[in-house]
Amino acid sequence: MASLRDIRKRIRSVKNTRQITKAMKMVSAAKLRKAQDAILAARPYAQTLEQIISELAVRSADQELAHPLLATRPIRRVELLLLTSDRGLAGGFNSNVIRRANRYLYENSNLQVRVSTVGRKGNDFFRNRGQSIRKDFAGLYATLNYRSAANVAEELAAAFLNDEVDAVYVVYNEFVSAITQNVVVSQLLPLQPATTKAATPAPEAVTSAPALVDFKYEPSRQAVLDRLVPQAVNIKLYRALLESVASEQGARMSAMENATNNATDMISSYTLLYNRTRQAVITKELMEIVSGAEALK
């Protein structure tokens, strides 16, 4: 049986741990609010930009407009960009992304897949297992903004345009809520604009459906497409990074809350053990005193 001193040390240690996890939860909650505001502000712009490109492609179908970043070709070489965090203590945030990336590598073993990473956890995992890393974009989260994300996107786009890879995919956590994140594998290149969603007309209304209205473009359709497509690629990667940051803070806040609750339960258990041990010690001392008194009679 542990001594009273040992139990007191355990209680003190768990209390110190609980203070740390509680503080980390509060810090993550504050960062989550900022990250959530950023992703909620970026989503409408990214979705609208993809919608504009999609509608432009539909309206210009007979104009034979094209852009190199929209061109599809047989996929033989792929770049997989992995978005993890620089720090741990975030529950299954990193392990889920790494597991999904490993599954992608296994399912596409017939392709030449090269891996790039954003975040120290993913980079350390693959390097420790002998997986070659083309490039680690270290320190990106510390200076995350549209320009830094665009630099990464432009580097990946240059590899695609130079025929070094046939497709680029991004593996990251999509933010749903503070306790829910979905791991997704999103195709960054070639860019696939969102399909224009239109309500399915009733059978009797098919003949009366209005024709698709076109617009006047300045300076031209092709010039507008050339300007929007690279920007859409940059925005898509920037949005993925923001999704990953918000998911990380949500996962860490949830993990630290669970750790704080577990520490509270441990303190209660150790306190109960301490009281029982103390009671047993006092009972033993009383029995020794009584036995000694009886022996002196």
PDB file of all heavy atoms in Angstrom, residues 192-223:
ATOM      1  N   GLN A 192     -10.733  21.987 -60.307  1.00  0.00           N
ATOM      2  CA  GLN A 192     -12.051  21.516 -60.706  1.00  0.00           C
ATOM      3  C   GLN A 192     -13.089  22.481 -60.144  1.00  0.00           C
ATOM      4  O   GLN A 192     -13.439  22.392 -58.971  1.00  0.00           O
ATOM      5  CB  GLN A 192     -12.312  20.099 -60.185  1.00  0.00           C
ATOM      6  CG  GLN A 192     -11.419  19.045 -60.832  1.00  0.00           C
ATOM      7  CD  GLN A 192     -11.718  17.655 -60.325  1.00  0.00           C
ATOM      8  OE1 GLN A 192     -12.070  17.477 -59.153  1.00  0.00           O
ATOM      9  NE2 GLN A 192     -11.597  16.674 -61.188  1.00  0.00           N
ATOM     10  N   PRO A 193     -13.581  23.406 -60.958  1.00  0.00           N
ATOM     11  CA  PRO A 193     -14.574  24.357 -60.454  1.00  0.00           C
ATOM     12  C   PRO A 193     -15.828  23.652 -59.988  1.00  0.00           C
ATOM     13  O   PRO A 193     -16.187  22.582 -60.489  1.00  0.00           O
ATOM     14  CB  PRO A 193     -14.856  25.253 -61.664  1.00  0.00           C
ATOM     15  CG  PRO A 193     -13.698  25.056 -62.580  1.00  0.00           C
ATOM     16  CD  PRO A 193     -13.234  23.654 -62.358  1.00  0.00           C
ATOM     17  N   ALA A 194     -16.494  24.265 -59.029  1.00  0.00           N
ATOM     18  CA  ALA A 194     -17.731  23.683 -58.522  1.00  0.00           C
ATOM     19  C   ALA A 194     -18.764  23.635 -59.630  1.00  0.00           C
ATOM     20  O   ALA A 194     -18.917  24.573 -60.409  1.00  0.00           O
ATOM     21  CB  ALA A 194     -18.257  24.519 -57.353  1.00  0.00           C
ATOM     22  N   THR A 195     -19.481  22.518 -59.686  1.00  0.00           N
ATOM     23  CA  THR A 195     -20.524  22.382 -60.681  1.00  0.00           C
ATOM     24  C   THR A 195     -21.651  23.337 -60.375  1.00  0.00           C
ATOM     25  O   THR A 195     -22.091  23.451 -59.235  1.00  0.00           O
ATOM     26  CB  THR A 195     -21.056  20.943 -60.706  1.00  0.00           C
ATOM     27  OG1 THR A 195     -19.959  20.057 -60.936  1.00  0.00           O
ATOM     28  CG2 THR A 195     -22.087  20.764 -61.798  1.00  0.00           C
ATOM     29  N   THR A 196     -22.100  24.036 -61.380  1.00  0.00           N
ATOM     30  CA  THR A 196     -23.204  24.980 -61.189  1.00  0.00           C
ATOM     31  C   THR A 196     -24.446  24.219 -60.799  1.00  0.00           C
ATOM     32  O   THR A 196     -24.912  23.341 -61.518  1.00  0.00           O
ATOM     33  CB  THR A 196     -23.468  25.768 -62.481  1.00  0.00           C
ATOM     34  OG1 THR A 196     -22.260  26.408 -62.874  1.00  0.00           O
ATOM     35  CG2 THR A 196     -24.569  26.788 -62.265  1.00  0.00           C
ATOM     36  N   LYS A 197     -24.976  24.550 -59.633  1.00  0.00           N
ATOM     37  CA  LYS A 197     -26.156  23.851 -59.137  1.00  0.00           C
ATOM     38  C   LYS A 197     -27.407  24.597 -59.593  1.00  0.00           C
ATOM     39  O   LYS A 197     -27.579  25.774 -59.304  1.00  0.00           O
ATOM     40  CB  LYS A 197     -26.131  23.758 -57.602  1.00  0.00           C
ATOM     41  CG  LYS A 197     -24.966  22.940 -57.082  1.00  0.00           C
ATOM     42  CD  LYS A 197     -24.992  22.849 -55.572  1.00  0.00           C
ATOM     43  CE  LYS A 197     -23.831  22.034 -55.048  1.00  0.00           C
ATOM     44  NZ  LYS A 197     -23.843  21.951 -53.568  1.00  0.00           N
ATOM     45  N   ALA A 198     -28.264  23.868 -60.237  1.00  0.00           N
ATOM     46  CA  ALA A 198     -29.520  24.454 -60.691  1.00  0.00           C
ATOM     47  C   ALA A 198     -30.642  23.526 -60.322  1.00  0.00           C
ATOM     48  O   ALA A 198     -30.498  22.307 -60.313  1.00  0.00           O
ATOM     49  CB  ALA A 198     -29.498  24.674 -62.203  1.00  0.00           C
ATOM     50  N   ALA A 199     -31.770  24.106 -59.990  1.00  0.00           N
ATOM     51  CA  ALA A 199     -32.916  23.294 -59.604  1.00  0.00           C
ATOM     52  C   ALA A 199     -33.414  22.506 -60.803  1.00  0.00           C
ATOM     53  O   ALA A 199     -33.445  22.996 -61.933  1.00  0.00           O
ATOM     54  CB  ALA A 199     -34.033  24.203 -59.079  1.00  0.00           C
ATOM     55  N   THR A 200     -33.794  21.258 -60.586  1.00  0.00           N
ATOM     56  CA  THR A 200     -34.308  20.420 -61.659  1.00  0.00           C
ATOM     57  C   THR A 200     -35.707  20.882 -62.032  1.00  0.00           C
ATOM     58  O   THR A 200     -36.602  20.889 -61.184  1.00  0.00           O
ATOM     59  CB  THR A 200     -34.353  18.948 -61.218  1.00  0.00           C
ATOM     60  OG1 THR A 200     -33.045  18.558 -60.805  1.00  0.00           O
ATOM     61  CG2 THR A 200     -34.829  18.060 -62.360  1.00  0.00           C
ATOM     62  N   PRO A 201     -35.931  21.306 -63.279  1.00  0.00           N
ATOM     63  CA  PRO A 201     -37.241  21.834 -63.641  1.00  0.00           C
ATOM     64  C   PRO A 201     -38.272  20.738 -63.740  1.00  0.00           C
ATOM     65  O   PRO A 201     -37.949  19.571 -63.970  1.00  0.00           O
ATOM     66  CB  PRO A 201     -36.984  22.482 -65.008  1.00  0.00           C
ATOM     67  CG  PRO A 201     -35.826  21.720 -65.576  1.00  0.00           C
ATOM     68  CD  PRO A 201     -34.975  21.340 -64.392  1.00  0.00           C
ATOM     69  N   ALA A 202     -39.514  21.104 -63.553  1.00  0.00           N
ATOM     70  CA  ALA A 202     -40.602  20.151 -63.701  1.00  0.00           C
ATOM     71  C   ALA A 202     -40.744  19.789 -65.168  1.00  0.00           C
ATOM     72  O   ALA A 202     -40.351  20.548 -66.059  1.00  0.00           O
ATOM     73  CB  ALA A 202     -41.900  20.774 -63.184  1.00  0.00           C
ATOM     74  N   PRO A 203     -41.285  18.591 -65.482  1.00  0.00           N
ATOM     75  CA  PRO A 203     -41.397  18.163 -66.885  1.00  0.00           C
ATOM     76  C   PRO A 203     -42.129  19.162 -67.753  1.00  0.00           C
ATOM     77  O   PRO A 203     -41.748  19.404 -68.897  1.00  0.00           O
ATOM     78  CB  PRO A 203     -42.148  16.837 -66.771  1.00  0.00           C
ATOM     79  CG  PRO A 203     -41.837  16.337 -65.397  1.00  0.00           C
ATOM     80  CD  PRO A 203     -41.729  17.562 -64.549  1.00  0.00           C
ATOM     81  N   GLU A 204     -43.193  19.779 -67.211  1.00  0.00           N
ATOM     82  CA  GLU A 204     -43.957  20.705 -68.026  1.00  0.00           C
ATOM     83  C   GLU A 204     -43.265  22.041 -68.200  1.00  0.00           C
ATOM     84  O   GLU A 204     -43.670  22.862 -69.018  1.00  0.00           O
ATOM     85  CB  GLU A 204     -45.347  20.935 -67.405  1.00  0.00           C
ATOM     86  CG  GLU A 204     -45.337  21.572 -66.029  1.00  0.00           C
ATOM     87  CD  GLU A 204     -45.177  20.539 -64.917  1.00  0.00           C
ATOM     88  OE1 GLU A 204     -44.935  19.341 -65.255  1.00  0.00           O
ATOM     89  OE2 GLU A 204     -45.306  20.894 -63.736  1.00  0.00           O
ATOM     90  N   ALA A 205     -42.180  22.275 -67.409  1.00  0.00           N
ATOM     91  CA  ALA A 205     -41.494  23.568 -67.480  1.00  0.00           C
ATOM     92  C   ALA A 205     -40.213  23.502 -68.281  1.00  0.00           C
ATOM     93  O   ALA A 205     -39.498  24.484 -68.392  1.00  0.00           O
ATOM     94  CB  ALA A 205     -41.200  24.095 -66.072  1.00  0.00           C
ATOM     95  N   VAL A 206     -39.903  22.314 -68.831  1.00  0.00           N
ATOM     96  CA  VAL A 206     -38.644  22.167 -69.553  1.00  0.00           C
ATOM     97  C   VAL A 206     -38.610  23.047 -70.786  1.00  0.00           C
ATOM     98  O   VAL A 206     -37.621  23.726 -71.087  1.00  0.00           O
ATOM     99  CB  VAL A 206     -38.419  20.689 -69.937  1.00  0.00           C
ATOM    100  CG1 VAL A 206     -37.194  20.562 -70.833  1.00  0.00           C
ATOM    101  CG2 VAL A 206     -38.262  19.840 -68.691  1.00  0.00           C
ATOM    102  N   THR A 207     -39.684  23.084 -71.526  1.00  0.00           N
ATOM    103  CA  THR A 207     -39.703  23.839 -72.771  1.00  0.00           C
ATOM    104  C   THR A 207     -39.680  25.336 -72.553  1.00  0.00           C
ATOM    105  O   THR A 207     -39.246  26.085 -73.415  1.00  0.00           O
ATOM    106  CB  THR A 207     -40.961  23.462 -73.576  1.00  0.00           C
ATOM    107  OG1 THR A 207     -42.114  23.709 -72.768  1.00  0.00           O
ATOM    108  CG2 THR A 207     -40.920  21.989 -73.954  1.00  0.00           C
ATOM    109  N   SER A 208     -40.119  25.755 -71.367  1.00  0.00           N
ATOM    110  CA  SER A 208     -40.181  27.192 -71.090  1.00  0.00           C
ATOM    111  C   SER A 208     -39.014  27.698 -70.272  1.00  0.00           C
ATOM    112  O   SER A 208     -39.045  28.815 -69.787  1.00  0.00           O
ATOM    113  CB  SER A 208     -41.484  27.520 -70.350  1.00  0.00           C
ATOM    114  OG  SER A 208     -41.529  26.832 -69.111  1.00  0.00           O
ATOM    115  N   ALA A 209     -37.980  26.876 -70.086  1.00  0.00           N
ATOM    116  CA  ALA A 209     -36.824  27.304 -69.291  1.00  0.00           C
ATOM    117  C   ALA A 209     -36.090  28.420 -70.006  1.00  0.00           C
ATOM    118  O   ALA A 209     -35.848  28.342 -71.219  1.00  0.00           O
ATOM    119  CB  ALA A 209     -35.880  26.118 -69.059  1.00  0.00           C
ATOM    120  N   PRO A 210     -35.688  29.462 -69.291  1.00  0.00           N
ATOM    121  CA  PRO A 210     -35.007  30.580 -69.940  1.00  0.00           C
ATOM    122  C   PRO A 210     -33.612  30.192 -70.395  1.00  0.00           C
ATOM    123  O   PRO A 210     -32.957  29.350 -69.794  1.00  0.00           O
ATOM    124  CB  PRO A 210     -34.976  31.645 -68.841  1.00  0.00           C
ATOM    125  CG  PRO A 210     -35.027  30.873 -67.573  1.00  0.00           C
ATOM    126  CD  PRO A 210     -35.878  29.680 -67.863  1.00  0.00           C
ATOM    127  N   ALA A 211     -33.156  30.790 -71.469  1.00  0.00           N
ATOM    128  CA  ALA A 211     -31.809  30.527 -71.960  1.00  0.00           C
ATOM    129  C   ALA A 211     -30.787  31.126 -71.000  1.00  0.00           C
ATOM    130  O   ALA A 211     -31.062  32.087 -70.283  1.00  0.00           O
ATOM    131  CB  ALA A 211     -31.643  31.127 -73.352  1.00  0.00           C
ATOM    132  N   LEU A 212     -29.574  30.551 -70.997  1.00  0.00           N
ATOM    133  CA  LEU A 212     -28.505  31.017 -70.125  1.00  0.00           C
ATOM    134  C   LEU A 212     -28.050  32.402 -70.575  1.00  0.00           C
ATOM    135  O   LEU A 212     -27.675  32.606 -71.727  1.00  0.00           O
ATOM    136  CB  LEU A 212     -27.335  30.037 -70.156  1.00  0.00           C
ATOM    137  CG  LEU A 212     -26.223  30.271 -69.147  1.00  0.00           C
ATOM    138  CD1 LEU A 212     -26.757  30.105 -67.732  1.00  0.00           C
ATOM    139  CD2 LEU A 212     -25.075  29.302 -69.395  1.00  0.00           C
ATOM    140  N   VAL A 213     -28.115  33.354 -69.679  1.00  0.00           N
ATOM    141  CA  VAL A 213     -27.771  34.736 -70.011  1.00  0.00           C
ATOM    142  C   VAL A 213     -26.265  34.917 -69.945  1.00  0.00           C
ATOM    143  O   VAL A 213     -25.613  34.508 -68.975  1.00  0.00           O
ATOM    144  CB  VAL A 213     -28.470  35.716 -69.043  1.00  0.00           C
ATOM    145  CG1 VAL A 213     -28.074  37.148 -69.376  1.00  0.00           C
ATOM    146  CG2 VAL A 213     -29.975  35.539 -69.117  1.00  0.00           C
ATOM    147  N   ASP A 214     -25.689  35.492 -70.953  1.00  0.00           N
ATOM    148  CA  ASP A 214     -24.260  35.752 -70.985  1.00  0.00           C
ATOM    149  C   ASP A 214     -24.002  37.220 -70.652  1.00  0.00           C
ATOM    150  O   ASP A 214     -24.916  38.042 -70.606  1.00  0.00           O
ATOM    151  CB  ASP A 214     -23.685  35.402 -72.359  1.00  0.00           C
ATOM    152  CG  ASP A 214     -22.187  35.134 -72.268  1.00  0.00           C
ATOM    153  OD1 ASP A 214     -21.630  35.309 -71.163  1.00  0.00           O
ATOM    154  OD2 ASP A 214     -21.590  34.763 -73.291  1.00  0.00           O
ATOM    155  N   PHE A 215     -22.728  37.551 -70.460  1.00  0.00           N
ATOM    156  CA  PHE A 215     -22.348  38.902 -70.091  1.00  0.00           C
ATOM    157  C   PHE A 215     -21.300  39.435 -71.069  1.00  0.00           C
ATOM    158  O   PHE A 215     -20.727  38.675 -71.869  1.00  0.00           O
ATOM    159  CB  PHE A 215     -21.775  38.932 -68.663  1.00  0.00           C
ATOM    160  CG  PHE A 215     -22.713  38.399 -67.626  1.00  0.00           C
ATOM    161  CD1 PHE A 215     -22.618  37.084 -67.185  1.00  0.00           C
ATOM    162  CD2 PHE A 215     -23.687  39.204 -67.070  1.00  0.00           C
ATOM    163  CE1 PHE A 215     -23.478  36.588 -66.217  1.00  0.00           C
ATOM    164  CE2 PHE A 215     -24.548  38.720 -66.110  1.00  0.00           C
ATOM    165  CZ  PHE A 215     -24.443  37.404 -65.680  1.00  0.00           C
ATOM    166  N   LYS A 216     -21.053  40.703 -70.986  1.00  0.00           N
ATOM    167  CA  LYS A 216     -19.947  41.305 -71.718  1.00  0.00           C
ATOM    168  C   LYS A 216     -18.715  41.285 -70.821  1.00  0.00           C
ATOM    169  O   LYS A 216     -18.787  41.615 -69.636  1.00  0.00           O
ATOM    170  CB  LYS A 216     -20.291  42.739 -72.120  1.00  0.00           C
ATOM    171  CG  LYS A 216     -21.365  42.841 -73.188  1.00  0.00           C
ATOM    172  CD  LYS A 216     -21.582  44.292 -73.594  1.00  0.00           C
ATOM    173  CE  LYS A 216     -22.640  44.376 -74.705  1.00  0.00           C
ATOM    174  NZ  LYS A 216     -22.870  45.793 -75.127  1.00  0.00           N
ATOM    175  N   TYR A 217     -17.594  40.892 -71.382  1.00  0.00           N
ATOM    176  CA  TYR A 217     -16.365  40.729 -70.601  1.00  0.00           C
ATOM    177  C   TYR A 217     -15.355  41.770 -71.048  1.00  0.00           C
ATOM    178  O   TYR A 217     -15.208  42.039 -72.242  1.00  0.00           O
ATOM    179  CB  TYR A 217     -15.791  39.322 -70.788  1.00  0.00           C
ATOM    180  CG  TYR A 217     -16.725  38.230 -70.337  1.00  0.00           C
ATOM    181  CD1 TYR A 217     -17.629  37.648 -71.236  1.00  0.00           C
ATOM    182  CD2 TYR A 217     -16.719  37.782 -69.031  1.00  0.00           C
ATOM    183  CE1 TYR A 217     -18.497  36.655 -70.824  1.00  0.00           C
ATOM    184  CE2 TYR A 217     -17.580  36.780 -68.609  1.00  0.00           C
ATOM    185  CZ  TYR A 217     -18.465  36.224 -69.509  1.00  0.00           C
ATOM    186  OH  TYR A 217     -19.326  35.238 -69.100  1.00  0.00           O
ATOM    187  N   GLU A 218     -14.679  42.337 -70.062  1.00  0.00           N
ATOM    188  CA  GLU A 218     -13.650  43.329 -70.342  1.00  0.00           C
ATOM    189  C   GLU A 218     -12.367  42.927 -69.629  1.00  0.00           C
ATOM    190  O   GLU A 218     -12.371  42.757 -68.392  1.00  0.00           O
ATOM    191  CB  GLU A 218     -14.111  44.709 -69.857  1.00  0.00           C
ATOM    192  CG  GLU A 218     -13.129  45.839 -70.127  1.00  0.00           C
ATOM    193  CD  GLU A 218     -12.914  46.085 -71.601  1.00  0.00           C
ATOM    194  OE1 GLU A 218     -13.859  45.904 -72.396  1.00  0.00           O
ATOM    195  OE2 GLU A 218     -11.773  46.444 -71.959  1.00  0.00           O
ATOM    196  N   PRO A 219     -11.253  42.709 -70.311  1.00  0.00           N
ATOM    197  CA  PRO A 219     -11.109  42.914 -71.757  1.00  0.00           C
ATOM    198  C   PRO A 219     -11.644  41.758 -72.616  1.00  0.00           C
ATOM    199  O   PRO A 219     -12.015  41.962 -73.750  1.00  0.00           O
ATOM    200  CB  PRO A 219      -9.605  43.062 -71.933  1.00  0.00           C
ATOM    201  CG  PRO A 219      -9.036  42.261 -70.804  1.00  0.00           C
ATOM    202  CD  PRO A 219      -9.983  42.408 -69.656  1.00  0.00           C
ATOM    203  N   SER A 220     -11.653  40.500 -72.052  1.00  0.00           N
ATOM    204  CA  SER A 220     -12.171  39.367 -72.818  1.00  0.00           C
ATOM    205  C   SER A 220     -12.444  38.226 -71.861  1.00  0.00           C
ATOM    206  O   SER A 220     -12.020  38.234 -70.694  1.00  0.00           O
ATOM    207  CB  SER A 220     -11.168  38.926 -73.895  1.00  0.00           C
ATOM    208  OG  SER A 220      -9.986  38.427 -73.284  1.00  0.00           O
ATOM    209  N   ARG A 221     -13.147  37.209 -72.355  1.00  0.00           N
ATOM    210  CA  ARG A 221     -13.417  36.033 -71.522  1.00  0.00           C
ATOM    211  C   ARG A 221     -12.119  35.363 -71.097  1.00  0.00           C
ATOM    212  O   ARG A 221     -11.945  34.976 -69.948  1.00  0.00           O
ATOM    213  CB  ARG A 221     -14.293  35.034 -72.283  1.00  0.00           C
ATOM    214  CG  ARG A 221     -15.737  35.431 -72.489  1.00  0.00           C
ATOM    215  CD  ARG A 221     -16.484  34.270 -73.123  1.00  0.00           C
ATOM    216  NE  ARG A 221     -17.892  34.569 -73.296  1.00  0.00           N
ATOM    217  CZ  ARG A 221     -18.419  35.109 -74.365  1.00  0.00           C
ATOM    218  NH1 ARG A 221     -17.630  35.461 -75.385  1.00  0.00           N
ATOM    219  NH2 ARG A 221     -19.717  35.321 -74.454  1.00  0.00           N
ATOM    220  N   GLN A 222     -11.204  35.200 -72.050  1.00  0.00           N
ATOM    221  CA  GLN A 222      -9.953  34.512 -71.751  1.00  0.00           C
ATOM    222  C   GLN A 222      -9.130  35.275 -70.721  1.00  0.00           C
ATOM    223  O   GLN A 222      -8.525  34.679 -69.828  1.00  0.00           O
ATOM    224  CB  GLN A 222      -9.143  34.324 -73.033  1.00  0.00           C
ATOM    225  CG  GLN A 222      -7.881  33.487 -72.855  1.00  0.00           C
ATOM    226  CD  GLN A 222      -8.175  32.062 -72.437  1.00  0.00           C
ATOM    227  OE1 GLN A 222      -8.929  31.367 -73.101  1.00  0.00           O
ATOM    228  NE2 GLN A 222      -7.593  31.625 -71.330  1.00  0.00           N
ATOM    229  N   ALA A 223      -9.120  36.599 -70.826  1.00  0.00           N
ATOM    230  CA  ALA A 223      -8.359  37.395 -69.856  1.00  0.00           C
ATOM    231  C   ALA A 223      -8.946  37.263 -68.462  1.00  0.00           C
ATOM    232  O   ALA A 223      -8.206  37.170 -67.464  1.00  0.00           O
ATOM    233  CB  ALA A 223      -8.343  38.859 -70.292  1.00  0.00           C
TER     234      ALA A 223
END
